[in-house]
Amino acid sequence: MAVTTAAPGVGVWGAIWQGITRSTSGFVGLCLVLSVLLFSFVGPLLIETDNPTDVTKIWGPMTSEHWLGTNHEGKDTFIQLVLGGREPIWVGLTAALITVAIAVVLGSLAGYLRGRVDHFLLQLTDITMTIPFIVLMLVIASFYRAASPLMVSLIIGLVTWPYLMRSIRAQVLTLKEREFIEAARLQDLGTARIVFVEVLPNMAGYIFINFIIAITNAIYAVVGMYLLGLLPSTAANWGLMIQQAWDNNAFLLPQAAPFLVAPMVMIMLFQIGLVTMTRSLEQALNPRLRDR
Amino acid sequence: AGGDRASSGATRFTGVFDYDLDSQTRNVHVEDGALLLNSVYKDLFLCTGGIYNWRTHEWDYLLLEGTEWDGDNLIVTLRSGLRWSDGTDLTSDDMIQSYAMRVLEAPVWGVGFPQVQELEQLDAVSVRLGFDDPFPNIERSIIKHRIVSKTTYADFGERAVQMVADGVRQGDDEHTEFNAEFIEFNPDEIICSGPYRFDPEQMSDARITLVRNEEGYQGTEVLFDEVVIHKGDNRQSALLVQQGEVDYSTLAPSAADQQAFQGVEGFTWIEHAGYDGCGLMFNYAAKPELQDVRVRKALAHILDSDTVGQVARGEGYTRVEHYAGLVDLQAEEIFTADELAGFERYDQDLDRAAELLEEAGWTKRDGVWHTSEGEPASYEIIGVAGWGDFELTSTQVEEAWNDFGITTTARNVPQDNPWGIWGAGDFEVAVRHWGNPEIPDYWGAFQMNFLLENSGTEESPGQSFDLNVESPSQGEVDLAELVEVAKQAETEEEQTEALKTMAIVFNELLPRIPIWTYKYLAPAVEGVRVQSFDKEHPAANNEQYQDNHVILSLIQGDLAPVEE
Amino acid sequence: MATEIAASPPPGAGDATSARTDAPAPPLRRIWNHYAVVKVRKALVVVFVVANVTFFLGRAMPGDPIDVMAGRLTQNGMTMEEARAVAMNSLAYDVDAPLHQQWWDFLVGLVTFDMGNTINRPGVSVMDAIGAYLPWTLFSIGVGTVIAVALGLALGMVMAYRRNQFLDHVLSVAASVLGAVPNYLIAMVLVVGGGMYLGWFNPIELRGTVSPGVQAGFNLEFIGDAFFHASLPILTYVLAIIGTWMLVMKASTTEVLSEDYVTVARARGLRDRRIAVAYVGRNAVLPLVAQIAISFGTLVGGAIFVEQVLVYKGVGGLLLDAVNYRDYPLLQGLLIIITSCVVAANLVADMLYSRLDPRIRD
Amino acid sequence: MTDHPAAPAAGKAPAGGPAEGALLSVRGVDVGYRTGRRTRVTAVRDVSFDLYPGQSMALVGESGCGKTTLGLGLLRLLPRTGVVSSGEILFRRKDGRLVDVRTLAREDLRRFRWNEAAMVFQGAMNAFNPVLRIEDHFLDTFRAHEGGRRRPRKEILEQSADLLTTVRLDPARVLGSFPHELSGGMRQRALIALALALKPQLLILDEPTTALDILTQRSIVERLAELRDELRFAMVFITHDLGLAAELADRVGTMYAGRMIETGTTRDIFYRARHPYTSALINSVPPVAGDLTVPQSLPGGPPSLTALPPGCSFAPRCAHAVDACSHTRPTLDVLRTRTEGLSHAAACLRTHELLEGATRD
Amino acid sequence: MREAAPPVLSLKGVHQVFGTPRGDVPAVAGVDLEVRPGQVLCLVGESGCGKTTSARMAAGLAAPTAGSVLFRGRDVAAMDKHERSVFRRAVQYIHQDPYASLNPVRTVYSTVSAGLRRHKMVKDRHEARRAVTELLERVDLTPAEDYLDKYPHQMSGGQRQRVAVARALAMNPEVIIADESTSMLDVSIRVSLLNTLGKLRDELGVSFLFITHDLAVAKYFAWDGEIAVMYLGKVVEHGPTPQVVNDPRHPYTRALVSAVCEPDPDLARTKERVRLRSADIPDLTDLPPGCDFHPRCPLYAQGACDTLRPPLVPSHDRLLACHVVTGE
Ligand SMILES: Nc1ncnc2c1ncn2[C@@H]1O[C@H](COP(=O)(O)OP(=O)(O)OP(=O)(O)O)[C@@H](O)[C@H]1O
Ligand SMILES: Nc1ncnc2c1ncn2[C@@H]1O[C@H](COP(=O)(O)OP(=O)(O)OP(=O)(O)O)[C@@H](O)[C@H]1O
Ligand SMILES: [Mg+2]
Ligand SMILES: [Mg+2]
């Protein structure tokens, strides 16, 4: 679905900003995302992060000392919650960056150059797309016995690019035929400049939207991989919390439930925030979706 | 639906196990991977010769009448009048075929069947096994061997008997050929010898109902009409217990489950002894400073087994007292109390740890310990993702060492092949089992502690622990040789002597650090379907998967249903 | 990841025909180049490549089935040699067979549709193992997709017709929320919230695929029972993708509603229902047909999570096992079959699309 | 969709009742669009005219001055955001009843459309549902308007074939085709045939030939003229192309920034235009016949609807504007009275002063 | 025909065939055209007759499948990199749709100056702004400063089209190819843009290949130049504008001229119309034998018309391709 920027006189980023902030849902989404980010990145600076094991408090209830109770190690759940957002969010961001970078570069190459390159890349996407991506991830993940967050992002990024690559290619194909690109060619502006200065900025909104979608997908994937126990656990992290809580049947104990529910809620809030943001962005940037 | 009471008024015993109806084989001879044969309920439908009592070292015979040594020959005799669930007689034909198939596939370095030279059917109920050079306890694996039906296996069985007679053994071409066929063999049903049998009508991927096998051993004696086995892994089984659906489960409950169970009506714990535990294994090649025994002792002194144990297992652990390489239960059997008093203990003692480290030339600067080389000490300790107790043990050790000033990072490796990683020595410190639940003979623990993951070969160096050690009290000792002696010496005394030496050496040198011992807490429900469980059962010290005493009492008709 | 739906272009978009075709083709050549045949050919190539990728991918994983099984055995104290011997005895895997030999066998098997036996479940053929699991996955996903798509399309249309009204706002928020929550979290919330805390259903009763004693067959009892047991996975799939479908359909309908032919249809005084169905609905659904297949494909992947969480017997668990135990034939078989299903779904969608849209019929 | 009957015009009194014998009496119609949550623009303001049976009226003007909006408003076909906010659209139905289209109930409105008044759209390329065959469009249309009895398919198709023949299309080929298989000209003609299917009294054509090529345009124009002679329907004819207006219309209305600023017979407008905008429009078209004539350009563009100048909206571009023009809004004054809505009227303060300069006889 | 300076740009027997699933489409089938310095050559014809395709080949945007395009006598296909870039810049193209021909994310300044900066025709930003200001003034966008920082969507169609012209002018072109550049504009604006283009032609001596289907526009803009009438990929009549428009000879041209709706009600009613035998244009993939126009031609006579393709030959002071008219 083609997205063209059409907000008056504010450029691409202005349009994106307006798209998010002008609509109620977009604004709420932005607020959600920002609060989760604040919670996870500023929060650790504000609280006592030392969270020692305390066997006398295993699965303790919610008290004024332990707002969300304690976990199976007698550690404070709230502190874990505050510390646990950084990794999945980082993985999400970097994986999304990788996905988008690969997709944009390959997509515009394929779309602009056509020919053999295009053919090959398309076939490649066909293949990567048909193997369900979780499966591919499963297999790749088993290569690495101690995957770092960066490695995880890389895996996710390497597996998820084809969808976006295809739609970017399709957009480049149509944009390429657009008359202003032809005009640029007539001015002899050079291929690189045409692709990166004339073509890509026209998709900035679209790419941005997909970047956000890619973040949600990456977070979905990491947390899922934790849940399946595919990722070696390292630091405190929401995915791991859910997995531990789930494996320990934490929900059987009312006082243990926050250990499962709290990270689930955080992830859902973040995802919902991102998704509502993209929805209102799409609404704003795609004139065809606007009410006529 | 799940746990509906049978309207017919049939009495039921319910259990839970993670089976897989469709893809598990019915080739019960292979045991590993066959339907329900990894569960404790296996003896209910396919009995072994007997149940070993780990405390008294005596046998409660099931299918067997008994065994008898006649020089190098072992005469194994079946009870008479046994029948298979398909109505055929269970005789020495079945027995010799089952033995022959096992003899064929037994690798030379095993104990029991590999040493069998001859098989001879003596009469309708007995078979003679001719040994070369028997040693005490060699008969154990023969008695435990599960006899399978000749109706199912006759083809293979007869061939096997012939091949054994011809001297064919594992690894020979004939056997390879035989085995290739055998592996592919997948009969449709399991013919049972125990008090229960499968009912094809009542098998689904959520539960299997075993029904009374009138023909089978104790078929008319057992007090429950049916045994229902729900499908469930550790997590699911806890849910089932929590719902009161399961009478007895041997799957590990987590600490949260343990707390949650308290609310279940009629809930009780059945405790099974543990013969292994969790500890630390070092890679001496990767971290040479650990070759200094003082450092190892110091590292042990930093840890509080109770904290680690409780976090990792809730109530399901016992702390290590003797550090003998054997679980305390076994150590107390072979040593006297006095002897044990002389054993060094490695309970948490931070001062002692610091002292030991300083003795070893370590220094503490800016709160960080530096090795005698002057390098800041740092360790990566690996647990296994998905193995909850391992994960938690590794993070607890990480926390304790870090607090003490030794930089440690815990990291979990995927659960699909940690053995590969351990064997390859691809670690610095690993959370690993110590002791051995598989082999009731004490040597098993040392074979595990010293030999496993210590092959010393290039591609699998493992711990790189030199087995020729210098013990302060025992002098130079070849541990590999001692394991052999403990296993195969002619007399029990010799075996015990070797064991004792190894235990003392283990205690002195601490090649691994035992942290806690398993205590298996099996959740059970009394008063709903089962009247009560016998807490003082004479076989209560048995290892639960091999010689389960609850199942034994069920078979023996001692476990009674609730009276309506 | 259902969200990817939004990002994929409809089939054929942007592919302007510019290449010159050759001179009039002979009949055989024409069939060879026929739209449908080309699609099938491409699909076969994809399956073939995927098959080979899985072959090598699998074998590139560290450790082989013997190692893994032996490792498991040594856990209980067997020596490594002993364990390896036992493992070799009980697994149908020949460690010594050179890779190219294995590959050749694999290729032959592929062509003859014989994927051999599983390694870890001796005597069980790959096809049987898959055959026991895949139908349940396909059943639950298929039903889930059908319900979600049908409901999503209907609700999406309602939202588009009532856009910017209260109902639209409510549904949009609901759809965004649902679309944002990963399927496994939905499954967890269902089990914990609905089953444990609210007690709407007994998750224990729902376990498994059919109740014991119910015989497979085309009878009401079996079908009812199968639906009963699959209700949680189906509900999860429905909830997981319906949000996206609602939003996609809303967008698509909104676009169609502003098309001239809809205004003209109104001008022609057609009845509202006729316009909604034949003019708006049909055209709004068209570009989404291909996405049904994509969504089906992503669900197959997501099934691994969901089946794991809900303990539903499907390929998810089998696949995890195959990876964990390095059961190469099973892994290969699964991946090939799963990809074939996805490819087939795509193919069907393509064909369907070309049936539904006269503009690309040729 | 704004199918709900609007409340009877409030506030503004409609300028007089329906004219006697008129088919369509438009009285003070305003059409607005909602553009944001609280913002709206008025795209058509205070338009009134009477159309008599058989008349053909052209609406001309620059892009964006509200021609299409007015056309859609007459049939209440505006998009969701659009609404006829005031005025009356009185229509004399085939049964002689006079109704206000604005207040027709849903089902009534549906039956009114196409049966009484049909519309051929701007860019008819997309007027057909791409997934239905042409014959289905005919079937749908007939079926939607038939009374209780269900006409057999065959009968409808025969009638459709006849209709297609009247616009010089080959029914055998066209009926079974999908829209994309027809050329633009064919589609446009098929749409005209479809528009005439129920013998409406009024045909609204919104730029029916703009996207077509000149020869096709010519044939459509001729067909339309002939059909109108034959079937006697009235036409409202919206176009950019003054040539087309000159050829097909009896009378012309010039629109500028949402208002009707001049109306009169075709000859009034082309030879005696009294509004500077109308003259400028006409003068900017170069003719083909004759020697080279230099057309005059009309610089600039129409004002934005959200920022209309207070006085005459054309004043900023008008060569003849005086001070008064920028604050006094001229009314549509009748200059020469004729019956049947053919009066010449213009909305310009200086109509009388400029009389000489602006004519071209 | 007036003899003049050698042509800057010429098409020699160019063909363009598109392969499509339905068959080959000979969009242009052997066209010869010459654009002379400072002159206007106007290409008219029905929709789909190959005007755009010819223009694109002339601009080097597409390579002919046969024939050649010559720039200052050099075959474009044989040019080296440098020559080609000179050609690229010397021949500029103005598209039909002012809404699509400007990059929506770039300002006017950025659009117009891109080429200047790329080809180092200005030294710095300051100079670039000045140059752009001059260009904008040249195309009557005044005051130029107001427009420099505007985005396309902030301007009307006419203004955008002027920006497109300014962008073309920035390259100092010798030839401007204008493909229906005025057809999307309102009548009122069309004339002023035509006047602006006329000014460039007269003051800067730029040559035009001017494409339109509006004969009135063609007549006005190319009064001093020539008109070539195309039909189904071939030129059927080619000559000086006044002759062709005022005295069309080819039946197709006549039909075109007579089909025009005159903005004059009396004339419209009295004007004599050529009646075609068929309103529909044949399908390019399935052309009739003989003269392409014969199925619609009012002058159709049995004989050569449906068997022989008429060549384009000089006749009646122009070039004509019609058996009937040339045979008179
Ligand atoms: N859906 C809409 N929402 C808001 N404004 C609209 C809408 N549709 C049209 N307009 C505005 O209403 C005014 C009149 O538009 P309309 O389409 O009626 O003009 P027109 O005279 O038909 O122009 P054209 O000749 O370009 O077709 C324009 O300013 C346009 O921008
Ligand atoms: N890329 C292409 N692929 C296939 N056919 C094409 C292509 N481009 C143009 N054509 C066909 O070539 C013929 C000539 O097209 P061209 O665009 O040159 O006509 P034109 O005279 O410019 O028409 P118009 O007045 O509509 O702009 C048409 O029939 C068109 O359909
Ligand atoms: Mg309009
Ligand atoms: Mg063109």
Side-chain angles (χ1 to χ4, degrees), chain B residues 360-564:
Chain B
W362 287 39
T363 47
K364 190 173 185 181
R365 273 176 270 146
D366 308 329
V368 176
W369 282 98
H370 290 64
T371 64
S372 50
E373 307 282 304
E375 300 293 321
S378 85
Y379 298 99
E380 184 194 78
I381 166 165
I382 58 172
V384 180
W387 298 5
D389 42 16
F390 273 53
E391 287 184 25
L392 292 167
T393 298
S394 71
T395 52
Q396 284 303 312
V397 172
E398 171 193 34
E399 201 174 317
W401 287 1
N402 271 328
D403 287 349
F404 188 72
I406 297 173
T407 314
T408 311
T409 38
R411 169 156 287 186
N412 289 323
V413 299
Q415 60 181 322
D416 52 5
N417 191 14
W419 308 282
I421 293 168
W422 292 327
D426 193 4
F427 63 92
E428 293 175 0
V429 178
V431 177
R432 182 66 170 115
H433 296 102
W434 62 278
N436 189 333
E438 192 84 343
I439 303 169
D441 311 321
Y442 311 112
W443 57 264
F446 293 105
Q447 121 124 24
M448 175 108 165
N449 294 339
F450 296 142
L451 303 184
L452 195 64
E453 281 128 23
N454 197 25
S455 327
T457 59
E458 203 154 305
E459 71 268 30
S460 54
Q463 313 168 63
S464 302
F465 179 64
D466 186 354
L467 292 171
N468 291 306
V469 297
E470 175 75 42
S471 146
S473 64
Q474 310 291 316
E476 260 184 49
V477 182
D478 181 351
L479 292 170
E481 197 190 298
L482 277 184
V483 172
E484 275 313 294
V485 175
K487 183 158 118 184
Q488 305 208 359
E490 299 275 330
T491 64
E492 297 219 17
E493 289 69 39
E494 267 178 89
Q495 292 184 352
T496 313
E497 201 49 46
L499 279 170
K500 285 181 150 183
T501 313
M502 286 193 289
I504 293 166
V505 169
F506 187 94
N507 180 264
E508 284 169 353
L509 298 184
L510 210 62
R512 292 183 177 206
I513 301 178
I515 301 177
W516 45 261
T517 314
Y518 284 102
K519 173 162 89 183
Y520 294 100
L521 287 178
V525 173
E526 290 180 331
V528 178
R529 284 164 297 262
V530 180
Q531 206 166 42
S532 69
F533 292 92
D534 181 4
K535 297 283 165 41
E536 308 295 323
H537 197 279
N541 266 6
N542 287 4
E543 201 282 331
Q544 58 176 355
Y545 277 99
Q546 301 197 53
D547 302 287
N548 188 295
H549 73 266
V550 174
I551 298 301
L552 179 64
S553 49
L554 178 54
I555 294 174
Q556 290 177 336
D558 295 336
L559 206 63
V562 171
E563 279 159 34
E564 297 285 323

Side-chain angles (χ1 to χ4, degrees), chain A residues 52-53 55 58-59 72-73 75 142 144-146 229 231-234 244 246-253 255, chain B residues 235 238-239 242 254-257 259-260 307 310-311 382 385 391-392 395-396 399 411-414 416 421 426:
Chain A
T53 301
V55 284
I58 287 178
W59 296 126
H72 56 289
E73 293 177 285
K75 294 184 177 187
S142 76
Y144 301 100
R145 74 168 172 89
L231 290 184
S233 47
T234 45
Q244 287 175 338
W246 186 251
D247 275 357
N248 283 319
N249 286 333
F251 51 86
L252 286 185
L253 273 188
Q255 72 262 36
Chain B
R235 213 183 63 72
L239 289 179
Q242 217 261 345
S254 71
D257 297 331
Q259 283 189 43
T307 303
Q310 199 164 346
V311 166
I382 58 172
E391 287 184 25
L392 292 167
T395 52
Q396 284 303 312
E399 201 174 317
R411 169 156 287 186
N412 289 323
V413 299
D416 52 5
I421 293 168
D426 193 4

